[in-house]
Amino acid sequence: MYRYDEFDSKLVINRVKQFTKQIKRRISGDLTEDEFKPLRLMNGLYLQLHAYMLRVAIPYGELSSKQLKMLAYISKKYDRGYGHFTTRQNIQFNWPKLIDIPKILRNLAKVEMHAIQTSGNCIRNVTADHLAGLLPEEIEDPRPWCEIIRKWSTFHPEFSFLPRKFKIAVIGCNEDRAGILVHDIGIKIIKRKEIGFQIFVGGGQGRSPFIAKKISDFVSKKNLLTYLEAILNIYNSLGRRDNIYKARIKILVNELGIEHFKKLVEDRFKLLKQKKTALKGIEIDKIKNYFKLPSLETVGKINPEFPKNPNFEKWLKFNTLNHKVKGYKIVLVSLKSKNYPPGDMDYKQMIHLAELAEKYSFGEIRVTHEQNLVIPHIKITDLFEVWKILDSITLATPNIGLLTDSICCPGMDYCALATARSIPIAQKITNFFEAKKKQDEIGPLKIKISGCINACGHHHVGNIGILGLDKNGQEFYQITLGGSSKENASIGKIIGSSFSSSEIIPAIDKILDVYLEKRDNKNQTFIQTLEQIGLKPFQEALYDNN
Amino acid sequence: MIITEKGLIKINSYNEIVNLDEYQKFNCVLFTKSFFLENITKISSQKKNGLLLNSDDKIEDISQHIIIFSLINVRFLNFKDGRPFSIARDLREIFSYKNEIRASGQILPDQLIFLLKCGFNSVEIDKTKKDTWLNIFKTDSRQDYQR
């Protein structure tokens, strides 16, 4: 994984010093809250419902054991003993005090971490496929490209006061596990005569969801940053600033039309083409070197006999994947157990998992876009042992990709913007469907829950999406069906009027009954079934009471 | 009062004018883009001509004239509106403008280093905040990844 050089370390330490001074100026009154806000946001510091929230960057979701141990220390010392992993592969602390922030940032800097550009109207932490570098079908590992983009976008003097936040994701496989089509810019590594990039622009969720449109079918490696710079320049100059809800690039692309927007970008790109952002092969290779696989030894036994244990077998089926190196498996760690809010992890779990990764996986851990973790390189012969440890710390819930593996925003339990709670709904779903054992019969299905129209829980792209609303002080939940953030990305359709918090679980259950009844066979997905039968049978089951 | 790219505090010598009489009166003048376009034939190359742009002004339509300006002053309508950063970079990199670019309007001292990196040479500042600007000039890191 990437390691800081002296330059990177100095940069982060300088930033901590700068932000510490800014906090002092805020406390002394030299900076007003309005002036301080964009500065603190660019350092990941939000003011939430009850307290400050600090969002720490985990570039492209890659963590070391040492870093996870530091996150555990910070959770215990400065927060309430836990952290929350986000859909953009970062971690949030919900209860730090303003006065402790410089200390937290100094501690993070010790393990090559920071909170830079995890918030604010700038280019945010770049995300990637959490299985980057691990699969045989991958064209090229996206992580070095994320790192190149991370460097280019960090403290970019021109693009730090954009009309609105800006999110970029990169994938290297055909299967999209990073949701590139719901990002401001989605980048897909492709192979033509040479390897380069397809670029998508203007995707996003929030109150006006859009699927990104292809702006370029091929950008060479050399020109990647120049092309991104051209897009950002057009956005910075023409993006709307009169209305916060219309300021994202998706609105600009939609208002101009993709062809017009593309022409502006291409014209700009031509002007910039021979300029300084052109990448040299030697620079690319230097970054790539950081992302080589650890030296995985060839394992003799690749079909070991495991002790008979149904829980282990279920976990093996749902929570492990084949690694490109024979004899190894990729282990997915579910953060969707019924005991914790989705994405939450307590400090003891962090310490144990860090130790486990140190012992069995070269000290590497990853955060997924679906708020789970990955231990990337587990020897097949170690699987039973690894499962036992994970099980003992409530991290072996065998539900990856199933309906209780839902994405969920913090909702009204933490967030100042939320109009309804979302965590209790996720927990109700987990408790209800785990008890009924229905989810195994259903198979892969994405439920995504947002506590307000800003859609941080990605409800628009859930196969079943749940949006929390406020109706005269009561929490209500609207259901959308058919969303997806995969390569066939689509925005879900609203099924009808919303449900109260006591009605929502039975409503989901009815939807699933329709699916189970109508699907042709076990392999037909929820989306395929919906495409085949339409919304009507679901609406009839939910609303036809006569 | 201005702070320069060398960290010096100086008096702003440009006089902001709104009509031709005023234009004739001063030798060192600052005028808007619309004044310039209306009076383009009367602009004297003997004077120090400063052009005042707002965050939302475009520069493409005056790009062939920029050689006449000894100063282009880009006024921030709001410090959160980052368009002036792109305006300055375009002036330098696309239109090869070599004279002074100055930032004015609502700017935070914390934006100084970014301004200098995008091609600004000076910033109009509030004299009561002079020490904060000087302190940031001296202590804020200039280290970056961009080329």
Side-chain angles (χ1 to χ4, degrees):
Chain A
M1 60 188 286
Y2 186 70
R3 291 266 171 256
Y4 278 14
D5 59 20
E6 210 178 305
F7 187 91
D8 298 307
S9 302
K10 211 173 134 196
L11 188 111
V12 169
I13 288 163
N14 281 335
R15 181 60 161 221
V16 176
K17 283 184 191 159
Q18 184 196 38
F19 190 46
T20 305
K21 280 192 284 181
Q22 287 165 341
I23 290 175
K24 273 190 196 151
R25 281 165 56 216
R26 172 70 195 111
I27 291 170
S28 78
D30 183 34
L31 281 169
T32 65
E33 177 53 26
D34 189 46
E35 290 168 333
F36 181 56
K37 192 176 167 188
L39 305 177
R40 69 167 161 76
L41 288 179
M42 263 186 276
N43 289 287
L45 191 62
Y46 278 80
L47 192 53
Q48 288 289 50
L49 199 55
H50 311 291
Y52 280 103
M53 180 272 275
L54 182 70
R55 185 182 291 149
V56 176
I58 303 174
Y60 32 92
E62 202 161 61
L63 266 179
S64 68
S65 287
K66 198 175 159 193
Q67 290 172 329
L68 188 56
K69 282 182 190 169
M70 179 56 85
L71 295 175
Y73 172 78
I74 289 168
S75 316
K76 184 163 183 288
K77 174 125 177 127
Y78 300 106
D79 203 288
R80 296 188 177 176
Y82 62 92
H84 175 76
F85 289 98
T86 76
T87 57
R88 299 206 73 255
Q89 301 176 302
N90 293 320
I91 186 168
Q92 292 177 185
F93 294 110
N94 283 307
W95 304 98
K97 294 187 188 75
L98 183 58
I99 199 160
D100 288 333
I101 299 296
K103 282 182 256 176
I104 298 175
L105 294 177
R106 281 198 291 274
N107 276 314
L108 288 170
K110 285 182 200 161
V111 293
E112 307 181 353
M113 294 187 90
H114 57 75
I116 297 164
Q117 290 177 210
T118 55
S119 177
N121 295 337
C122 50
I123 301 170
R124 303 284 188 90
N125 184 30
V126 182
T127 55
D129 183 353
H130 54 266
L131 302 180
L134 302 176
L135 300 176
E137 67 267 29
E138 185 174 79
I139 295 162
E140 195 174 296
D141 189 340
R143 293 171 301 163
W145 297 101
C146 291
E147 179 55 28
I148 286 167
I149 296 167
R150 183 192 75 80
K151 286 198 158 98
W152 160 77
S153 61
T154 298
F155 309 150
H156 197 292
E158 187 181 351
F159 305 134
S160 291
F161 292 87
L162 294 169
R164 199 74 182 85
K165 58 188 168 182
F166 204 91
K167 301 176 182 179
I168 302 176
V170 191
I171 58 170
C173 289
N174 275 327
E175 192 178 344
D176 180 1
R177 280 168 289 266
I180 63 165
L181 296 180
V182 286
H183 275 77
D184 296 287
I185 292 181
I187 301 175
K188 184 179 177 186
I189 299 174
I190 51 154
K191 190 167 167 62
R192 297 274 188 263
K193 278 180 193 159
E194 55 179 308
I195 291 175
F197 309 94
Q198 259 176 0
I199 314 278
F200 300 85
V201 68
Q205 302 188 60
R207 50 188 80 201
S208 330
F210 285 100
I211 300 300
K213 296 174 180 71
K214 195 197 282 180
I215 183 166
S216 176
D217 196 47
F218 189 84
V219 172
S220 69
K221 288 182 171 180
K222 179 184 156 195
N223 287 330
L224 178 67
L225 293 185
T226 314
Y227 200 86
L228 296 183
E229 193 139 333
I231 296 176
L232 262 302
N233 180 276
I234 298 298
Y235 173 54
N236 194 37
S237 301
L238 301 183
R240 284 179 64 171
R241 295 175 191 265
D242 59 327
N243 179 341
I244 187 177
Y245 302 118
K246 295 189 185 297
R248 295 286 290 269
I249 195 172
K250 62 189 175 185
I251 303 293
L252 178 67
V253 171
N254 193 51
E255 282 180 357
L256 292 176
I258 184 66
E259 286 311 317
H260 184 184
F261 184 78
K262 181 176 171 161
K263 183 165 187 318
L264 294 172
V265 169
E266 300 273 339
D267 289 348
R268 179 82 196 175
F269 176 64
K270 279 178 207 144
L271 286 172
L272 296 172
K273 209 167 173 182
Q274 299 310 321
K275 291 282 168 59
K276 50 199 180 181
T277 42
L279 285 163
K280 295 187 190 82
I282 189 167
E283 295 169 305
I284 300 168
D285 291 343
K286 190 181 159 202
I287 299 286
K288 276 189 179 172
N289 268 329
Y290 285 109
F291 295 93
K292 284 186 176 158
L293 272 185
S295 45
L296 304 179
E297 50 189 292
T298 319
V299 180
K301 272 190 189 168
I302 55 167
N303 288 312
E305 291 259 325
F306 294 118
K308 283 269 169 241
N309 181 316
N311 290 337
F312 169 69
E313 281 154 22
K314 197 173 165 192
W315 174 83
L316 200 60
K317 180 179 169 193
F318 290 115
N319 291 30
T320 67
L321 292 167
N322 288 333
H323 195 288
K324 72 178 177 187
V325 176
K326 262 192 185 162
Y328 284 81
K329 283 265 190 185
I330 303 160
V331 167
L332 292 134
V333 176
S334 170
L335 298 182
K336 315 291 171 61
S337 80
K338 59 184 169 190
N339 306 316
Y340 295 83
D344 273 20
M345 196 176 193
D346 70 38
Y347 78 93
K348 287 182 192 157
Q349 289 176 316
M350 291 184 203
I351 293 170
H352 288 304
L353 189 75
E355 284 167 355
L356 184 153
E358 236 159 29
K359 187 167 174 195
Y360 295 102
S361 183
F362 304 86
E364 281 185 36
I365 303 127
R366 302 202 187 156
V367 186
T368 82
H369 142 72
E370 305 211 301
Q371 300 176 284
N372 293 312
L373 301 180
V374 174
I375 326 175
H377 327 283
I378 298 291
K379 248 186 230 172
I380 286 182
T381 46
D382 291 333
L383 279 169
F384 192 75
E385 195 57 36
V386 166
W387 170 75
K388 275 202 300 191
I389 298 168
L390 290 173
D391 195 42
S392 72
I393 50 174
T394 337
L395 290 177
T397 311
N399 64 347
I400 297 293
L402 302 180
L403 75 91
T404 58
D405 179 14
S406 51
I407 287 187
C408 173
C409 72
M412 214 154 68
D413 290 299
Y414 297 100
C415 178
L417 302 172
T419 44
R421 287 171 300 163
S422 45
I423 292 170
I425 300 300
Q427 286 178 317
K428 274 189 197 173
I429 290 173
T430 303
N431 288 326
F432 183 82
F433 290 103
E434 263 194 11
K436 282 185 84 175
K437 306 279 174 208
K438 207 170 190 171
Q439 66 168 341
D440 299 4
E441 196 188 338
I442 290 164
L445 183 94
K446 308 273 183 210
I447 295 188
K448 303 188 180 186
I449 310 160
S450 303
C452 80
I453 198 166
N454 292 305
C456 298
H458 298 192
H459 68 276
H460 293 301
V461 290
N463 300 162
I464 299 175
I466 302 174
L467 165 64
L469 302 164
D470 172 85
K471 272 193 190 174
N472 305 320
Q474 301 280 324
E475 289 166 308
F476 270 79
Y477 296 89
Q478 185 183 69
I479 296 178
T480 47
L481 295 186
S484 168
S485 64
K486 306 285 284 183
E487 48 288 355
N488 59 348
S490 59
I491 306 294
K493 292 187 180 65
I494 297 169
I495 189 160
S497 55
S498 53
F499 300 89
S500 71
S501 54
S502 60
E503 294 164 341
I504 185 74
I505 304 298
I508 302 286
D509 198 28
K510 280 183 192 164
I511 289 168
L512 295 171
D513 283 339
V514 174
Y515 164 56
L516 287 176
E517 190 201 326
K518 301 281 183 185
R519 70 179 177 185
D520 289 343
N521 57 62
K522 263 178 77 176
N523 296 325
Q524 189 178 39
T525 63
F526 184 83
I527 297 270
Q528 287 164 341
T529 308
L530 179 68
E531 275 167 9
Q532 194 173 303
I533 65 174
L535 279 178
K536 210 171 163 214
F538 295 98
Q539 287 164 329
E540 281 168 359
L542 285 174
Y543 300 108
D544 199 359
N545 298 321
N546 300 322
Chain B
M1 180 177 278
I2 62 164
I3 182 165
T4 72
E5 59 195 322
K6 294 196 169 126
L8 302 172
I9 301 292
K10 289 188 171 173
I11 300 298
N12 174 18
S13 54
Y14 283 82
N15 299 285
E16 198 169 333
I17 59 102
V18 291
N19 56 44
L20 270 178
D21 287 346
E22 285 179 345
Y23 180 75
Q24 308 300 351
K25 202 165 121 194
F26 299 104
N27 193 37
C28 193
V29 285
L30 185 70
F31 45 76
T32 62
K33 186 170 137 181
S34 53
F35 175 89
F36 172 70
L37 289 172
E38 280 161 27
N39 300 289
I40 198 160
T41 53
K42 302 184 181 86
I43 299 298
S44 157
S45 59
Q46 304 302 312
K47 287 178 187 281
K48 287 183 90 175
N49 293 298
L51 176 71
L52 179 63
L53 294 174
N54 277 325
S55 304
D56 54 353
D57 276 329
K58 300 279 167 267
I59 46 176
E60 285 74 9
D61 52 344
I62 48 154
S63 60
Q64 74 270 33
H65 305 294
I66 53 173
I67 198 160
I68 203 166
F69 306 119
S70 55
L71 171 92
I72 295 180
N73 182 329
V74 190
R75 185 162 286 173
F76 277 69
L77 297 173
N78 183 309
F79 69 90
K80 287 174 259 188
D81 181 343
R83 282 176 290 187
F85 294 102
S86 285
I87 293 175
R89 260 199 77 191
D90 286 2
L91 283 170
R92 293 288 184 230
E93 294 186 18
I94 309 289
F95 302 109
S96 305
Y97 179 70
K98 299 279 190 288
N99 294 333
E100 184 173 352
I101 307 179
R102 181 173 298 173
S104 62
Q106 209 199 111
I107 314 168
L108 293 184
D110 307 84
Q111 294 173 306
L112 176 61
I113 306 302
F114 285 166
L115 290 169
L116 299 179
K117 285 184 183 188
C118 285
F120 284 97
N121 309 93
S122 59
V123 187
E124 263 182 47
I125 61 169
D126 174 354
K127 62 182 172 194
T128 62
K129 293 264 172 113
K130 187 183 84 174
D131 292 341
T132 309
W133 282 92
L134 281 171
N135 190 28
I136 282 182
F137 179 85
K138 281 181 205 140
T139 58
D140 262 23
S141 167
R142 281 161 169 72
Q143 194 190 8
D144 64 26
Y145 289 114
Q146 289 78 31
R147 288 174 273 192

